[in-house]
Amino acid sequence: KLLNYQKSINMESTTKPVAEQIEEHGSALKCDDEQVLLNAVMGLRKISAAESAPDYQLIITHALPRLVELLDHTNPTLKFESAWVLGNVASGTDDQTMEVAESGAIAKFITNLGDKDLSVVEQSAWGLANIAGGGLAMRDRLFAHNIASAFIKCSQTHNGHPKILALVVWGISNLLRFKPKPTYEVAEPLVRCLITLLKQYSYAHEWIVDACWGICYMTDSPCGERINDILIASGAVTSVVNLINSGNSTLMIPCLRIAGDMTSGTDAHTQATIDCGLLNSLHDCISNEKGNLRKESLWTLSNVTAGSRSQIQQALDCGVILKALKLLENEQNGAARKEGMWVFANA
């Protein structure tokens, strides 16, 4: 039977219906021969990664428990391939994500974040990040497994591996995204982790965008002012303001949101962003060709002009308010125009 299965994999699988292939691979997972297991898992991985809507539900039906068991295997390639399949399935519907989470995969993924094989670590981080993106229930389930400590430790252990860091940062961002937001006590170490990476790496790394969104999710939360205090104390406000000047619109939006949240806090929070050069950054951004960037910039500026008399005077002195007035004469974006009017109403 094993020989017949090998022949089927090597010669006939591409011509068979996907459902039949999944069933055969699932049956092959019951044996203990490593090569047969590897062929079966690789077959499932190829099916699960197909561009044409893979049938994750059939993989769940025929292979889920065994794939989770294989995350403990001594063969790193088997662990890697199994984690890849499970990560793909976890990216499916909310119900499919839930099935992966309830199968015992979370604890094994977390254990494998400490694996010696970097490919296993990478796929485990990816699987966990996909589960974290599955909604509030998945987030809380992950927190119950102490995912915060696991992600933070992984980011420290693999600080020199951008691919792993990208997945960990994405996972942390997902953990901080859903409302109601996690408590300050839960979120604080994760935010500090993101701040450390934000200060350490340049915006050339695409995952810095996810780090900024993760911070942004928490500056816009019930504990936002306490997060503002962390940003100021850590010196990260300078990094955020500098990134507003990056020219990368994908990165500028979350950084403007962070600055906007900070300037909607106390006068001390507003002044800290001004002292880091925020007004000069806004001077450039309010004339950006993209309407959403103009809107976010004017919203942040309106928060500044809702501050103290001294802060309004600083905005006047640098010319950003006068520039906003001139630009509003021809502003076609309704949302940007509305925020621009608040600049003057607040002042």
Side-chain angles (χ1 to χ4, degrees), residues 44-90:
L44 290 171
R45 186 256 298 166
K46 291 174 183 177
I47 292 170
S48 70
E51 292 183 6
S52 56
D55 195 331
Y56 293 145
Q57 200 57 47
L58 278 177
I59 295 176
I60 289 171
T61 300
H62 293 287
L64 180 60
R66 183 58 169 150
L67 287 170
V68 173
E69 288 178 5
L70 291 174
L71 293 177
D72 290 329
H73 205 281
T74 56
N75 184 324
T77 305
L78 262 175
K79 285 202 285 190
F80 164 73
E81 293 285 350
S82 298
W84 194 341
V85 178
L86 290 167
N88 284 342
V89 175

Side-chain angles (χ1 to χ4, degrees), residues 54 69 129 206 258 306:
E69 288 178 5
E206 292 183 2
I258 294 169

Side-chain angles (χ1 to χ4, degrees), residues 286 298 321-344:
I286 61 174
L298 289 165
I321 290 181
L322 180 59
K323 183 177 181 180
L325 178 60
K326 291 179 178 178
L327 290 170
L328 279 179
E329 295 176 1
N330 300 309
E331 179 59 70
Q332 299 299 309
N333 183 296
R337 187 165 59 250
K338 179 181 177 180
E339 295 299 342
M341 294 305 295
W342 276 110
V343 171
F344 304 105

Side-chain angles (χ1 to χ4, degrees), residues 71-327:
L71 293 177
D72 290 329
H73 205 281
T74 56
N75 184 324
T77 305
L78 262 175
K79 285 202 285 190
F80 164 73
E81 293 285 350
S82 298
W84 194 341
V85 178
L86 290 167
N88 284 342
V89 175
S91 71
T93 66
D94 288 349
D95 287 342
Q96 290 165 346
T97 306
M98 178 68 80
E99 291 200 59
V100 173
E102 291 181 340
S103 69
I106 290 176
K108 296 179 187 294
F109 276 149
I110 288 176
T111 297
N112 285 342
L113 288 179
D115 199 271
K116 295 179 181 179
D117 190 295
L118 294 183
S119 65
V120 173
V121 176
E122 185 177 329
Q123 288 302 322
S124 299
W126 185 62
L128 289 165
N130 273 335
I131 293 172
L136 193 61
M138 292 297 92
R139 180 199 76 181
D140 291 345
R141 185 179 287 269
L142 286 165
F143 279 139
H145 281 81
N146 203 19
I147 187 64
S149 295
F151 269 159
I152 291 168
K153 183 178 180 180
C154 187
S155 74
Q156 295 167 343
T157 302
H158 300 289
N159 191 271
H161 299 278
K163 285 186 177 180
I164 293 175
L165 284 180
L167 292 165
V168 169
V169 168
W170 176 44
I172 292 175
S173 181
N174 282 341
L175 290 171
L176 301 177
R177 177 159 56 102
F178 298 104
K179 295 181 179 181
K181 298 296 178 63
T183 64
Y184 176 80
E185 289 72 22
V186 171
E188 181 256 348
L190 292 171
V191 171
R192 289 189 184 277
C193 176
L194 295 179
I195 287 173
T196 298
L197 295 172
L198 180 64
K199 293 174 63 179
Q200 182 179 354
Y201 285 86
S202 76
Y203 65 84
H205 294 276
E206 292 183 2
W207 52 265
I208 288 294
V209 174
D210 288 322
C212 291
W213 275 116
I215 295 169
C216 175
Y217 295 143
M218 292 311 300
T219 56
D220 179 23
S221 76
C223 61
E225 291 194 358
R226 298 176 73 181
I227 300 299
N228 292 347
D229 291 336
I230 294 175
L231 287 164
I232 294 169
S234 66
V237 180
T238 300
S239 300
V240 171
V241 172
N242 287 341
L243 290 172
I244 293 174
N245 299 321
S246 66
N248 179 343
S249 60
T250 305
L251 183 56
M252 292 163 71
I253 289 291
C255 290
L256 282 166
R257 292 272 184 91
I258 294 169
D261 289 334
M262 292 195 67
T263 52
S264 67
T266 67
D267 285 351
H269 294 153
T270 300
Q271 192 59 48
T273 62
I274 292 174
D275 292 344
C276 290
L278 175 65
L279 293 176
N280 289 332
S281 296
L282 295 179
H283 194 284
D284 295 332
C285 283
I286 61 174
S287 58
N288 192 283
E289 62 180 12
K290 296 188 176 183
N292 61 334
L293 281 170
R294 297 197 301 276
K295 184 204 77 168
E296 297 291 344
S297 302
L298 289 165
W299 168 64
T300 301
L301 182 57
S302 75
N303 288 339
V304 173
T305 59
S308 68
R309 292 175 65 87
S310 170
Q311 290 163 353
I312 296 170
Q313 190 61 53
Q314 290 176 80
L316 284 166
D317 292 344
C318 80
V320 67
I321 290 181
L322 180 59
K323 183 177 181 180
L325 178 60
K326 291 179 178 178
L327 290 170

